[in-house]
Amino acid sequence: MALSLRQKQLDAVVRMLNLNHPVVSGGTADEEVYKVLILDRFCRDILSPLIKVNDLRKHGITLYLMIDNERQNIPDVPAIYFVQATASNIQRITLDAARGIYQSFHLNFASSLPRPLLEELAGGTLKQDCLHRIAKVYDQYLEFVTLENGLFSLSQPDTYVRLNDPSAEEKDVLSVVDGIVNGLFSVLATVGVVPIIRCARGGPAEMVATLLDTRLRDHLVSRNNLFTEGGHIGSSFQRPVLCLFDRNFELSVAVQHVWSYRPLVHDVLGMKLNRVTAHPEPGTSGGKVKSAAKSYELDDSDSFWVANWNAPFPKVAEEVQIQLDKYKQDVDEVNRRTGVGKESDFSDEELMGNTKHLMSAVNSLPELTERKRMIDKHTNLATSLLGEIKSRHLDNFCSTEEDMLARGSVDKSGVLAALKGKGTKEDKLRLAIVYLLAAETTVPAEVEAVEAALREAEIDIAPFLYVKRHKSITFSPVSAAAAQAGSRSQFADWSEKFYGQAISAVTAGVKNLLSGGRQLAITRAVETLMEAKVASDADSYLLFDPRGPKGMGSAMGHSKGPFKEAIVFMIGGGNYYEYSSLQEFAQRQQPAKNIIYGTTEILSGQEFVEQLAVLGSKMN
């Protein structure tokens, strides 16, 4: 059975909470040591979907506080700091140590602590005569957020804007790329594998692949090697493949409306860090009291969520009713067997039998209570979704967009009717962008009609103009390949060429991948790369092997496939639709494959359109 990234990260966190002492699975290193946990916002988000407050207490954490907040002195208790390696955090740690607010300081950085900051920490604590309070300093390599067993995010906001901004300076883009490389290195260090790296030529994916390959090579020759043969993802010793993609590879997925449960909950209800709020229905004039909004956790511990994450919404609503009916039947059966509501006297035999049934019923109460809690949760979520679907006509947007993307052609009259019908401005804008991306070629007069409909509805068309502009630019693959062939010294030219790429050129290969069925392009591409057949579409992807000789940045090297495990990473923002598609593909295989999906940030369709709006305004 394949190990999950989530479990690996949780094991590392538990070890950190126990002062980095080895911990037996399910236990603690020293339950008598009580500690304070100090976090910054990023590391708080790392822990939020990973470990509950009660679990923190099991490991001796009596109090957790934010590093930026004012904190009282607790001089007799050791403190565990889990923060990012930033200058501001180093300054705050030095100040805390100088004040002596804790007995000892166990410093854990989410990634590696750069030497300049380490020297600043050492110099500052020496100057303040508090170096003796620093017990240990650890590089944890945990600078990513694991949301599910096979899903992680680097939580790096606005990556798409920062990589596509025509006014961005070289140092700004390099900073983004370095941040992505650091995050991916943390992921690989946590699972303990050095993968085969595959990416398309040109664009940020190649840049990340090149720098990550260099980082891994440099680390493998160092004495403190984090990678061992025993740290493989699955039960075999075969290395996984790391597939790097750029958001422009399949832009429509980032903005289209989706009808399946998990993407719908994220897109419509705004799920963040596995937590979602079900808003009350609009109040009525009949004097009804509005029900309060409720927040819920949605993770692997929720059996209904796991079983129905990829089901279409109508099927989910039907399944909720089935579960509710079954629950009522089981409760009625318990009542019948225990004699609840029975007024006649029992004989001695009936009383003994009834006592046994009563004991059985008592034992079944926790399970029934949990089922009722789960049913109530998803009933409220389904009700909230249904209200949004009705008011925004989301079913119409979903069907119209899916029809365009499946056929590769558009019905202008249907699009215009939807733009003039019901729905929010954001929904209509997303439909118009999908319209642009669905067809390989568009008629200028039709595009102008759609644009006019957006203006008539008083919709900000900057995102639409941005996509339209890029689709109209002539793109030369030869010149782009040449622009990407260099290293950092050629980066300015690379950035300029990259901005000039047309989305139509980037997605030219996508149409072929989508032929023969409405499967996402990224899923088809990953399938091709995992099969690693000679003389296939995989040959067009670059290959990097950090354990092999240098100069492997081409498709000519041996990929050592087919692969059983893959890490798929989307640069510029991913979503639950892609994640669901990849997981569905992995489970269909015989035997099932193990695919971990990651991205720079998890974005809803509206959040991605907001980034397109920023780029559109900069372009104008």
Side-chain angles (χ1 to χ4, degrees), residues 300-318:
D300 295 341
S301 65
D302 186 330
S303 59
F304 186 93
W305 179 250
V306 173
N308 295 279
W309 53 266
N310 204 35
F313 177 71
K315 178 68 176 177
V316 173
E318 179 182 330

Side-chain angles (χ1 to χ4, degrees), residues 492-512:
D493 183 50
W494 172 85
S495 180
E496 181 181 351
K497 294 286 186 181
F498 171 64
Y499 177 69
Q501 292 183 13
I503 288 177
S504 59
V506 175
T507 58
V510 173
K511 298 302 177 183
N512 295 329

Side-chain angles (χ1 to χ4, degrees), residues 5 20 31 38 78 83 88 97 195 227 252 263 281 283 312 358 452 473 525 535 605:
L5 176 63
N20 288 285
E31 297 182 4
I38 309 300
V83 295
S88 60
F227 301 96
S252 60
E281 291 185 283
L358 186 60
I473 296 175

Side-chain angles (χ1 to χ4, degrees), residues 147-197:
L147 299 169
E148 297 185 18
N149 287 337
L151 176 66
F152 71 92
S153 166
L154 300 187
S155 291
Q156 297 179 358
D158 302 322
T159 306
Y160 187 80
V161 170
R162 296 163 69 189
L163 287 173
N164 291 271
D165 186 353
S167 62
E169 297 182 4
E170 177 181 344
K171 62 181 180 63
D172 297 327
V173 182
L174 280 174
S175 175
V176 177
V177 174
D178 283 338
I180 296 171
V181 171
N182 288 337
L184 285 174
F185 184 87
S186 291
V187 170
L188 298 176
T190 299
V191 293
V193 295
V194 179
I196 304 293
I197 304 172

Side-chain angles (χ1 to χ4, degrees), residues 357-481:
H357 291 315
L358 186 60
M359 292 176 63
S360 175
V362 170
N363 292 331
S364 68
L365 278 178
E367 188 266 341
L368 287 172
T369 302
E370 176 61 24
R371 282 172 57 191
K372 183 62 166 60
R373 186 192 65 82
M374 181 190 68
I375 292 170
D376 287 345
K377 175 203 297 187
H378 290 282
T379 298
N380 289 339
L381 291 177
T383 302
S384 294
L385 286 174
L386 184 60
E388 291 290 327
I389 290 169
K390 287 181 176 179
S391 64
R392 294 166 56 181
H393 281 220
L394 292 179
D395 51 340
N396 183 43
F397 286 105
C398 286
S399 60
T400 303
E401 291 168 0
E402 186 64 25
D403 186 50
M404 289 191 294
L405 291 167
R407 292 188 294 109
S409 59
V410 299
D411 177 11
K412 187 194 70 170
S413 59
V415 173
L416 290 176
L419 293 179
K420 296 177 181 179
K422 294 183 178 180
T424 66
K425 294 180 178 180
E426 292 77 11
D427 291 328
K428 294 177 180 180
L429 180 58
R430 289 166 62 180
L431 172 65
I433 293 173
V434 172
Y435 155 77
L436 273 181
L437 297 170
E440 199 160 345
T441 58
T442 52
V443 179
E446 294 183 356
V447 175
E448 291 176 4
V450 171
E451 186 176 328
L454 291 174
R455 293 182 186 275
E456 184 179 345
E458 299 181 344
I459 297 173
D460 178 12
I461 64 170
F464 183 84
L465 294 178
Y466 175 79
V467 177
K468 174 185 173 183
R469 159 82 172 168
H470 271 268
K471 194 166 184 179
S472 66
I473 296 175
T474 302
F475 171 71
S476 170
V478 176
S479 63

Side-chain angles (χ1 to χ4, degrees), residues 59-71:
H59 297 287
I61 303 298
T62 58
L63 193 64
Y64 65 95
L65 303 165
M66 302 302 294
I67 192 171
D68 291 334
N69 295 346
E70 289 299 323
R71 288 167 277 121

Side-chain angles (χ1 to χ4, degrees), residues 3 8 187-194 226-240 547:
L3 298 176
K8 287 281 190 178
V187 170
L188 298 176
T190 299
V191 293
V193 295
V194 179
L226 296 169
F227 301 96
T228 60
E229 291 297 329
H232 50 83
I233 287 184
S235 57
S236 72
F237 285 96
Q238 185 192 43
R239 293 158 62 192
R547 289 193 181 274

